[in-house]
Structures are given as C-alpha cells and as structure tokens.
Amino acid sequence: MSTIDARAFWVTGPGRGELRTEALGEPAEDQVLVEARWSAISRGTESLVFHGRVPPSEHERMRAPFQMGDFPAPVKYGYCSVGEVVQGPDELRGRSVFCLHPHQTRYVVPADAVVPIPSEVPPGRAVLAANMETAINGLWDARLRIGDRVCVIGAGVVGCLVAYLAHRVVGCDVELVDVDPRKAPVAQRLGVPLRDPEHARGEADCVLEASGSPAGLQRALALAGREATIVVLSWLGDRPATLPLGEAFHAQRLHLVSSQVGTLPASQRARWTHRRRLELALRLLADEALDGLLTGESPFEELPQAMPEVVAPGRFVLCHRVVYG
C-alpha cells in the first residue's frame, strides 16, 4: 500500500508544540482523504490542553474524535478543520467539508466523519461550526422561552454565538457581558449590546455563563433573577471556583445547570444525533455578520510559534484561523 505524507501539530509539553510528519495510508472504500484548507484554535479548551491543565480525571472524557497521544503530552489535539475531499466516494469528492480533526495538512477519516458545508456558507467561516454546536447545546440546556430576559457572561466565540442565537428567539431581550470593551463592535455586529459586569442589567430569566473564569460564574449568580436558570458552558480545567452559595443562590432558588457539548441534552436525545446537530450548526453559519468573530490567522507552518501568542491571557483573540497551503 502506498503512503501519503502529512504534517500535524503536536503539543509536546506545557506551553510547547511542534510540527511532525506522519504517514497516511490510501483511503479505503468507506474513507476519504481530506486536504485541509483552514482549521481554528478553540482558544478556551486548547489553552488548557496546550498548557497541560487537563485534570487527570478528565483525560478520557476530554479526548477529541481523532486525537492521537495522551494528556498531558505529547498529544495531537483539535476539532475545527475545514478541507476539500480529494479522494473518496463520488458524492463527496471535490466537496468542502467540516471535520472534528486536529490541526493537520491532510488526513484520512471515515466518510461519515465529514459533513459537507452548505453552498451558502463560505468554507473559511465554517471553522466556527464546533463552537456553534456548543452554543446550540447550551441553549437547549437553557430551555429558552419566548420573551425571556437573557444575560450571556463572556464574549468569547461561544458566548458571542450564544448571544447571537438567543437574540433571534422571538421577544428575547439579550445582553452580552464582558470585561473587555474591545469586543463591543463585534457584539454590535451580532445585534446585541455589550456591557461591563458592573453595569449589567440583572434580574435575568436565564443566564448563560461562557467566560471561562470563576469570576464570571460568580457574577452569573448575582445577575440571575428569582428561580432563574444559570447554564454553565465554561470548562475551567484544573481551576477551582468558589461560589457564594449561601447568598442569593439559596434565597432565590436558583438553578445551576452544566452544559457539555459531548452529550446531547436529555430533551433532544430521542430525536437528535451529533451529526444532525452539526449539520444544523453549519446551516446557521450563513450570516456574514459572523465574520466579525474571525479576528486573525496564521500559516500552518508557523503554528508552533503562533499557538503561545493566540492562547496568551489578555490578548484580544476570538476565532484564530490556521491557513493551509
């Protein structure tokens, strides 16, 4: 069997990464060979992976679909890849597709692991699909209702997408809360106001927390109205969070809900599959306003140098694309 060379990004230790050459086999009848065009750095999760901060208890649950290696390192990780099928079944050959694959120049995967990108969605924007899935799952967990007053904590990519979707539910009044005023133009483009935590409205019917910060989760409790639901989309890795559960949380009978994209909510599980949800996420990316979430890009060959900069605290980065060839 002939082999095909590929280059992939590996985390080799806390804060370090390198490109490695890998040999791929020719695709079988039920597989495809994909040439990568773009991938994206999922800044929250990949920051924890890159810095070796995945707790040992989560090493198995945190595995990505086509991950190689094990946490903490060396590990090949990532799940936002867009490419073109160059070998495979006739109905897929030449199509632009999304795949939950790490950063790699080309790869062979089962044909059902790729999802064709709708014609109305530019392939370069489709790198947002995995984050859009997370946002969809979070709103399913929130069970949002018409006319709800909604507060979204954290204007990263996931928080922005949650606010974008919630704003489109009839009658919902949505505010996006973040400490960084540089994100205001992005929020405005998505149709929602950005407020700093001290000036957020409060008394929300539903709070969705996507800040990746214990302080954001604490603020979520303070902004929730009586018997409101607080959906936690953030994953803090090995960071503890101290919450004031003896204050408003108890007196106001607040509901604290965990949302994790790896599992479909019970309310959807009988009818939905992960693939159906991903197809929906891709269709929802047809709006050009979402291009405001694409704030930078780097060539794949420079990824070992770019990754530490992209995931560094305090940088204004939303979705950072990696460009291939």
Side-chain angles (χ1 to χ4, degrees):
M1 178 183 290
S2 61
T3 59
I4 304 166
D5 282 343
R7 299 270 282 165
F9 176 74
W10 285 71
V11 175
T12 55
R16 303 191 309 275
E18 68 181 23
L19 301 183
R20 295 182 177 182
T21 299
E22 302 182 11
L24 309 177
E26 288 284 340
E29 289 186 2
D30 60 348
Q31 294 180 315
V32 290
L33 171 62
V34 179
E35 289 277 357
R37 297 291 182 251
W38 294 273
S39 61
I41 297 171
S42 184
R43 191 170 183 265
T45 302
E46 288 198 61
S47 176
L48 295 171
V49 172
F50 186 64
H51 291 109
R53 293 174 53 194
V54 178
S57 64
E58 303 306 302
H59 282 189
E60 285 304 312
R61 279 192 287 257
M62 271 296 298
R63 292 190 68 87
F66 296 102
Q67 173 182 326
M68 292 185 66
D70 299 298
F71 300 118
V75 62
K76 181 175 73 174
Y77 191 83
Y79 45 80
C80 306
S81 181
V82 169
E84 180 182 335
V85 175
V86 293
Q87 291 185 46
D90 290 343
E91 65 271 19
L92 289 174
R93 197 177 306 124
R95 296 287 302 273
S96 292
V97 295
F98 179 87
C99 185
L100 296 164
H101 200 281
H103 309 284
Q104 187 165 313
T105 55
R106 55 181 66 93
Y107 44 88
V108 174
V109 295
D112 61 6
V114 301
V115 179
I117 297 169
S119 58
E120 63 271 20
V121 177
R125 190 189 302 153
V127 294
L128 295 168
N131 292 133
M132 181 64 90
E133 272 198 285
T134 302
I136 292 168
N137 222 57
L139 287 170
W140 281 344
D141 282 318
R143 300 191 179 189
L144 209 61
R145 295 154 299 191
I146 291 173
D148 270 356
R149 180 181 289 174
V150 182
C151 178
V152 182
I153 309 283
V157 176
V158 170
C160 284
L161 290 172
V162 168
Y164 170 82
L165 294 178
H167 177 60
R168 280 148 183 78
V169 177
V170 174
C172 280
D173 185 1
V174 182
E175 67 175 355
L176 187 55
V177 177
D178 199 278
V179 296
D180 190 346
R182 293 174 294 180
K183 296 176 180 177
V186 177
Q188 183 178 20
R189 185 168 179 174
L190 299 178
V192 295
L194 184 79
R195 299 191 174 102
D196 67 78
E198 297 305 316
H199 294 91
R201 174 183 51 209
E203 289 299 313
D205 299 302
C206 180
V207 181
L208 297 108
E209 188 278 318
S211 69
S213 162
L217 184 51
Q218 293 165 5
R219 193 62 183 155
L221 294 176
L223 294 175
R226 183 172 178 80
E227 300 202 22
T229 296
I230 300 160
V231 179
V232 182
L233 291 95
S234 290
W235 184 57
L236 300 180
D238 59 1
R239 283 179 295 171
T242 301
L243 301 180
L245 300 184
E247 299 178 13
F249 176 80
H250 188 72
Q252 299 218 87
R253 297 173 53 88
L254 302 180
H255 303 262
L256 196 60
V257 177
S258 169
S259 182
Q260 205 282 330
V261 71
T263 302
L264 294 164
S267 60
Q268 309 297 109
R269 217 169 291 160
R271 301 169 305 282
W272 285 79
T273 63
H274 286 82
R275 184 180 181 91
R276 182 184 174 192
R277 185 184 63 189
L278 180 53
E279 291 172 342
L280 171 62
L282 284 164
R283 292 199 305 272
L284 292 175
L285 294 175
D287 189 348
E288 65 180 13
L290 298 172
D291 287 337
L293 300 177
L294 305 172
T295 57
E297 58 184 33
S298 301
F300 170 75
E301 295 296 330
E302 297 177 8
L303 191 50
Q305 295 77 41
M307 183 67 81
E309 298 179 6
V310 172
V311 301
R315 285 183 60 86
F316 176 56
V317 177
L318 292 175
C319 180
H320 189 91
R321 283 192 303 200
V322 180
V323 183
Y324 297 75

